[in-house]
Each structure stands twice: as C-alpha cells, then as structure tokens.
Amino acid sequence: MERLVPPIIEVKELRKTYMVESREVIALDSISFEIEEGDVVSIVGRSGSGKTTLLSILGTMEMPTSGTVLVNGTDLSTASSAELVAIRRGTIATIYQDYNLIPVLNAFQNIELPLILKNMDKDQRKIRVQELLKAVQLEGRDDHRPSELSGGERQRVAIARALAINPKIILADEPTGDLDPEIASSIIDLLFSINKNYSTTLIIVTHDFNLANLAEKKISLKHGSLVSIESQVVEK
C-alpha cells in the first residue's frame, strides 16, 4: 500500500568524510533511516560515533559527502543557499547543550531574535515572546540576561527561542547534559509536552540512555556506522 504522507526526514546511504592531514576520516558511513512527522527519536552512541555530525547535517549546517538527505521533501544536497536558510528559519530549530544564547541580550530578546529574522511585526513579536515565556514558565524573567539565569532557565530560554518559529522539527543536542537530575527531568517533560501538544518532530542526541529509551525510535551509531534502529510503543 502506498504511503499517503512521506517521512519528514529521509536519509539514504549518507556518507560524510573529512580530510585530516591528507588522511580521509569517515564520520558517517552509508547510513539510512526514516523519521515520521511527530516522532520522538533519540540518537545514541559513544563519543566519535558520528552523532553530532549527523545532527549538523540534519540541521543543514554541514552537507553530506554523498548520499541523500531529504528534510520535509527538500534534498539538502541540491538545495540552494536560499532554500537552506529558509529551512533553518522556518522548518528546523536546534537546541544546544551550551544553550548558545547571546550574552548581551536578555531572555526576551534572545527569544525574539528569530522572529526579527523572519521580519515579524514588532507588536506580533511581543505577543509571541510573551506566549513562549509563559509556555516555558519564565514569566517575570524576561529582562534577565543569560548570566543572571540558572542552567535550567537558560535551557528553557533556548527551548522558547527554538519554538518561536513554530518549527516542524526540533533537534536537541544533549539538552540535559549539563543539568542536575531534577532540572533535567523538568526539561525532558517540557520537550515531550511540546511534541505531544504541537506534534513537533523531536530528535534528541544524548548519552543518557534513560532519556533515549523514552523515545519512540532509538538510532544507535558506532564509529560512524548504523548499529540498530529500535522502535518501542510510548504513551503520549
């Protein structure tokens, strides 16, 4: 039976290599998988397994050496610079382990930035940012700069900034890596509630196997190769 809705991400025979001192280093070696819209997917593996490289390619920050990567129907290998920018500003948002907030901007301004890049009207931006601050439980902290916020609060700002563009896909790179267990648990709950409430596809790179096992699909990498793809039923 023909599939009615194509996967939001299709990876076919993806290969990524780098030249290091005239020697070819294989970061990803002919891996293939699909991710459906609304899925929660974890990507696991030891350091050097290719997780970060894979996330960078899915986020359009790096290009494959060979193979095909389709994101929401767009082939990244043949997409124009303008198409890649459009994907980053409208389809995909990334949450980083180190938050990647701009130090001189307060929480409100950090969240507002992607809306400015989308040329949203100032009044509309204000309404949207206030909605997001409420969604991540940071009301009253909007005028605080990153240095004045806790690690958990900074990650919530980063999540709100990612949500600002209403992305179809959120890429999360070790989103709980630097947080204590209690705060990490609250961030996990927030990410999963976003998936549940907005049907946002959530792809999480993590060393935390407890977090990885909460996903509907777990992709395991080793030395750049695909080891396994495990599926499990998760209550939403």
Side-chain angles (χ1 to χ4, degrees), residues 105-111 133 141-142 144-145 149 157:
L105 301 183
N106 61 33
F108 185 101
Q109 293 165 332
N110 267 285
I111 298 168
L133 285 164
R141 307 289 279 172
D142 56 314
H144 288 60
R145 293 183 179 183
L149 300 171
V157 173

Side-chain angles (χ1 to χ4, degrees), residues 15-27 65:
R15 182 177 172 86
K16 180 66 177 178
T17 62
Y18 301 96
M19 294 303 296
V20 179
E21 297 179 352
S22 73
R23 181 174 63 90
E24 184 182 59
V25 175
I26 301 173
T65 302

